[in-house]
Amino acid sequence: MATDTAPTNTEVHVERATTRDGEGIAALINFWAAQGQMLPRTLGETYENLRDFFVVRQDGRVIGCAALHITWSDLAELKSLAVEESTQSRGIGAALVRACVEEGRALGLDRLFALTYRPGFFERLDWEQADVMNLPRKVWNECYRCPKFPGCDEIAMILDLKPADAAS
Ligand SMILES: CC(C)(COP(=O)(O)OP(=O)(O)OC[C@H]1O[C@@H](n2cnc3c(N)ncnc32)[C@H](O)[C@@H]1OP(=O)(O)O)[C@@H](O)C(=O)NCCC(=O)NCCS
């Protein structure tokens, strides 16, 4: 699907996930979840939401994943963004975000949001910090599963997809 070129000229191929990627996606997410970096996912949840996912593979193995989950008519969450530890800083994370943004535009969404501990990573991709209280309450429907609930310390990031002349 989307092809992105990292600064090292290494091509990053982002593709839609298939059922063969389910275990790899869940393993990658749960590796980072065990370190408190993101919410864990069961294998069942991963398959139920598989059509949200993009992946980057290396020799058939999932080394990066991200999901775009529609929340409302104008809004979607970029979630479950994870890149294998040994393949970080090669532009894979950025390529996955761009694939989600591309899909968000194709779907006609106005805004994307993400909850993250890595605001700097998103800011480099033109996302902006937002007041979490300005997000619709529906975005909190997964929070009760978080080990940190209700003491959320993630930062809300927003990307406006509307063209400037339509943003009135
Ligand atoms: C956040 C995360 C997805 C980024 O993935 P990544 O593949 O390393 O992302 P990129 O390579 O696109 O960019 C990462 C960094 O490498 C740098 N970089 C990107 N391409 C590079 C290249 N070719 N050479 C050198 N540096 C590069 C970027 O400037 C960026 O800097 P930063 O770490 O200061 O933000 C990854 O660190 C991760 O999986 N973290 C754990 C889970 C997590 O926090 N997920 C986010 C939840 S929303």
Side-chain angles (χ1 to χ4, degrees), residues 6-10 32 37-38 65 78-84 87-95 114-118 120-122 124-125 154:
T8 49
N9 293 326
T10 310
W32 289 115
Q37 297 295 308
M38 55 202 301
C65 64
L78 188 155
K79 60 202 295 189
S80 300
L81 171 65
V83 174
E84 197 177 81
T87 59
Q88 294 204 349
S89 294
R90 294 185 195 172
I92 296 171
L115 298 169
T116 186
Y117 297 113
R118 299 282 305 268
F121 168 78
F122 282 92
R124 262 179 229 133
L125 299 172
E154 288 191 304

Side-chain angles (χ1 to χ4, degrees), residues 14-137:
V14 180
E15 297 178 283
R16 287 205 168 277
T18 73
T19 50
R20 286 188 296 281
D21 300 312
E23 289 191 15
I25 291 171
L28 189 52
I29 291 171
N30 290 326
F31 171 84
W32 289 115
Q35 300 181 45
Q37 297 295 308
M38 55 202 301
L39 270 181
R41 295 265 160 224
T42 65
L43 200 47
E45 287 164 341
T46 305
Y47 285 122
E48 282 168 19
N49 294 286
L50 198 77
R51 280 182 288 191
D52 286 349
F53 274 92
F54 291 98
V55 291
V56 174
R57 304 187 191 91
Q58 190 172 66
D59 303 323
R61 195 169 51 84
V62 175
I63 58 165
C65 64
L68 186 72
H69 189 73
I70 297 173
T71 333
W72 208 248
S73 64
D74 57 348
L75 184 69
E77 179 177 5
L78 188 155
K79 60 202 295 189
S80 300
L81 171 65
V83 174
E84 197 177 81
E85 203 168 21
S86 63
T87 59
Q88 294 204 349
S89 294
R90 294 185 195 172
I92 296 171
L96 284 159
V97 171
R98 287 193 194 104
C100 291
V101 170
E102 205 176 286
E103 176 161 76
R105 287 190 206 282
L107 285 165
L109 293 164
D110 289 346
R111 284 192 304 168
L112 305 186
F113 77 95
L115 298 169
T116 186
Y117 297 113
R118 299 282 305 268
F121 168 78
F122 282 92
E123 276 166 352
R124 262 179 229 133
L125 299 172
D126 298 327
W127 293 56
E128 291 176 2
Q129 285 198 32
D131 184 344
V132 82
M133 299 314 285
N134 289 337
L135 293 173
R137 267 194 221 153

